[in-house]
């Protein structure tokens, strides 16, 4: 049985004393640890992080870019990941490739400042459920029933499952390339765990909806009849992102009516109804690039996490930018990384008592790395 993860806790400086420190003191203490640790430390930050946290990132990016950064890291001994759990796991797997460890002379320590920063979508596919699904598909369709493709928003054990079964990991930036890669090997894909990214990408490739059944892990045969599975090109795991689900077609209609000519751009984790009404769809990096490249005066309504949309508003005062929903909704787990947690994690690291160390069990890491390396070979 593959282990997902292990976390190392040492009896370091306790968190409680950091909770009530004023932001100015936290900022100054974080800056001082960074200076002390120099290039042996790198802080990675996902675009959904709070402004005061992302300000400390040595590199900020989408899931693809941050994975690349971890994979290319030769010298640094510690990565503090301001993002969510699956991102830190991925950084550990890629930064601690045996070749890198031997050239560096040690493992890189990967720290997630708050262990409660998970991803609810990643939690929607447990390894036991995926193995059960695979067993049922094998009984119905024969051996090697599909190529498994997992969105990076998944546990290390699911990535390892893809590594074992000739599959690949993808991000929202290269999902189409990953599906093309998978179809070049076999005519059917099991796409985990985000049904929306899988469906939106499949539709973009001209695959009809009735060839993309949904697999509900709580029902026999995923709630499908055997014929539907035989016809399937992409079997979509029934997972979703609760943040991106809040965007609805009526929000697009509202903005189009109120501001004729407005451009709508959304993340592919949104439903197909929303994606089909948008002008553009793409990863967080594509959203940032597209808005930045648009002429002054352009109006945008953006369907992705609130912190990124607010940052874009601030960075582009020459454009009019709206959040594509009247309901203010942010990724509450990304939000858990705050200055007290960052400062606590860094000071413990500097004191030699690292806390919240993310270390994927070696066998799982090795298998997951196979599928992650394939992902990095597919252009974003
Ligand atoms: P990106 O890879 O586009 O940054 O998306 C990550 C994510 O979790 C979106 O919800
Ligand atoms: Fe997960 Fe959604 Fe948060 Fe992204 S926005 S980390 S998919 S819960």
């Amino acid at each position: 049985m593959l282990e997902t993860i292990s976390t190392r806790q040492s009896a370091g400086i306790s968190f409680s004393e950091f909770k009530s420190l004023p932001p100015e003191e936290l900022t100054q203490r974080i800056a001082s640890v960074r200076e002390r640790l120099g290039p042996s430390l790198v802080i990675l930050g996902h675009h959904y992080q709070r402004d005061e946290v992302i300000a400390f990132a040595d590199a900020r990016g989408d899931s693809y870019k941050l994975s690349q950064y971890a994979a290319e890291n030769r010298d640094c001994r510690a990565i503090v990941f301001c993002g969510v759990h699956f991102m830190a796991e991925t950084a550990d797997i890629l930064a601690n490739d045996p070749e890198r460890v031997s050239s560096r002379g040690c493992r890189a320590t990967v720290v997630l400042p708050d262990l409660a920063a998970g991803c609810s979508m990643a939690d929607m596919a447990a390894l036991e459920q995926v193995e059960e699904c695979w067993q049922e598909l094998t009984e119905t369709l024969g051996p090697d029933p599909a190529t498994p493709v997992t969105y990076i928003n998944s546990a290390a054990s699911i990535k390892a499952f893809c590594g074992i079964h000739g599959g690949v990991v993808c991000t929202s930036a290269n999902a189409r390339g990953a599906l093309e890669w998978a179809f070049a090997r076999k005519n059917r894909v099991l796409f985990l765990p985000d049904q929306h990214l899988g469906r939106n990408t499949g539709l973009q490739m001209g695959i009809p909806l009735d060839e993309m059944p949904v697999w509900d892990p709580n029902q026999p045969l995923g709630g499908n009849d055997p014929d539907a599975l035989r016809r399937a090109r992409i079997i979509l795991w029934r997972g979703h992102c609760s943040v991106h689900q809040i965007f609805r077609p009526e929000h697009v209609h509202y903005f189009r009516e109120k501001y004729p000519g407005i451009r709508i751009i959304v993340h592919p984790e949104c439903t197909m109804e929303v994606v089909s009404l948008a002008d553009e769809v793409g990863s967080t990096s594509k959203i940032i690039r597209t808005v930045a490249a648009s002429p002054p005066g352009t109006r945008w309504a953006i369907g992705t996490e609130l912190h990124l949309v607010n940052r874009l508003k601030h960075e582009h005062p020459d454009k009019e930018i709206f959040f594509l929903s009247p309901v203010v909704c942010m990724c509450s787990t990304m939000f858990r990384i705050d200055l007290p947690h960052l400062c606590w994690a860094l000071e413990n690291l500097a004191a030699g008592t690292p806390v919240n160390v993310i270390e994927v069990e070696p066998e799982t890491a090795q298998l997951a790395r196979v599928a992650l390396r394939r992902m990095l070979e597919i252009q974003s």
Side-chain angles (χ1 to χ4, degrees):
M1 169 66 107
L2 296 167
E3 287 290 318
T4 305
I5 193 154
S6 66
T7 43
R8 262 197 295 124
Q9 280 291 18
S10 56
I13 314 159
S14 125
F15 178 63
S16 54
E17 70 172 83
F18 290 78
K19 275 195 252 179
S20 50
L21 293 178
E24 307 72 44
E25 181 175 345
L26 290 164
T27 303
Q28 179 266 314
R29 283 168 66 165
I30 292 170
S32 127
V33 176
R34 282 177 88 205
E35 207 178 302
R36 218 171 335 138
L37 295 183
S40 70
L41 163 74
V42 71
I43 301 180
L44 300 182
H46 185 265
H47 293 307
Y48 291 165
Q49 291 290 297
R50 305 157 181 251
D51 287 348
E52 65 270 28
V53 168
I54 202 91
F56 284 108
D58 297 298
R60 62 171 82 170
D62 63 4
S63 310
Y64 188 91
K65 183 174 164 197
L66 295 173
S67 304
Q68 241 177 355
Y69 202 94
E72 285 162 10
N73 153 49
R74 288 179 181 278
D75 308 316
C76 89
R77 288 160 180 260
I79 296 176
V80 172
F81 210 117
C82 298
V84 287
H85 209 281
F86 72 81
M87 296 178 177
E89 278 188 324
T90 302
D92 174 55
I93 295 166
L94 291 171
N96 286 315
D97 174 309
E99 262 175 50
R100 288 276 186 269
V101 174
S102 84
S103 71
R104 197 188 296 124
C106 64
R107 281 182 58 81
T109 304
V110 177
V111 169
L112 181 64
D114 184 348
L115 287 182
C119 165
S120 52
M121 175 201 285
D123 295 341
M124 288 176 194
L127 180 63
E128 306 75 59
Q129 293 175 313
V130 174
E131 281 175 339
E132 214 175 290
C133 159
W134 196 252
Q135 174 72 28
E136 287 188 66
L137 288 177
T138 304
E139 284 161 12
T140 312
L141 305 170
D144 268 339
T147 301
V149 178
T150 188
Y151 190 22
I152 194 165
N153 298 32
S154 54
S157 57
I158 303 297
K159 295 180 176 87
F161 176 91
C162 291
I164 296 171
H165 295 283
V168 65
V169 180
C170 73
T171 74
S172 58
N174 72 351
R176 182 170 181 154
L179 282 180
E180 281 163 358
W181 180 94
F183 283 129
R185 276 145 193 84
K186 206 167 285 160
N187 206 25
R188 191 181 297 111
V189 161
L190 171 63
F191 193 89
L192 304 150
D194 184 17
Q195 59 174 299
H196 300 295
L197 177 64
R199 186 180 294 113
N200 289 325
T201 314
L203 286 171
Q204 224 182 53
M205 294 168 75
I207 300 173
L209 276 180
D210 64 357
E211 293 179 14
M212 294 191 279
V214 174
W215 185 278
D216 178 349
N218 298 314
Q219 292 197 48
L221 271 192
N224 299 286
D225 65 61
D227 276 344
L229 294 173
R230 273 182 212 108
R231 278 198 312 276
R233 300 289 314 286
I234 308 181
I235 300 168
L236 302 166
W237 191 263
R238 197 177 175 197
H240 65 268
C241 165
S242 40
V243 177
H244 288 87
Q245 243 190 205
I246 61 147
F247 301 107
R248 308 292 319 150
E250 52 272 29
H251 303 148
V252 178
H253 298 314
Y254 167 84
F255 277 106
R256 292 225 190 270
E257 259 166 50
K258 185 146 187 203
Y259 303 104
I262 194 166
R263 310 277 300 153
I264 312 280
I265 186 163
V266 301
H267 196 276
E269 288 173 18
C270 293
T271 63
M272 69 172 171
E273 289 80 4
V274 169
V275 168
S276 66
L277 290 170
D279 299 299
E280 307 259 5
V281 57
S283 68
T284 51
S285 290
K286 178 172 171 188
I287 293 174
I288 294 168
R289 276 196 313 271
T290 309
V291 170
S294 64
T298 311
R299 274 196 177 124
W300 287 101
I302 307 180
T304 196
E305 208 272 342
L306 186 64
H307 286 86
L308 173 55
V309 178
N310 283 342
R311 190 170 308 124
L312 285 168
K313 251 190 228 185
H314 184 74
E315 286 172 355
H316 300 284
D318 58 329
K319 291 155 202 170
E320 205 175 350
I321 293 174
F322 301 94
F323 184 63
L324 179 67
S325 164
V327 184
V328 170
C329 181
M330 57 181 192
C331 179
S332 55
T333 49
M334 286 272 184
F335 192 65
R336 296 196 73 103
I337 312 293
D338 54 12
L339 290 181
H341 281 95
L342 181 57
C343 189
W344 171 64
L346 286 170
E347 289 196 359
N348 270 298
L349 197 60
T353 53
V355 289
N356 294 3
V357 177
I358 303 294
E359 210 173 296
V360 178
E361 183 276 324
E363 189 196 346
T364 305
Q366 186 222 322
L367 295 164
R369 202 176 291 119
V370 172
L372 278 164
R373 280 206 187 115
R374 290 180 185 140
M375 172 191 93
L376 290 173
E377 278 164 21
I378 300 168
Q379 282 291 305
S380 71

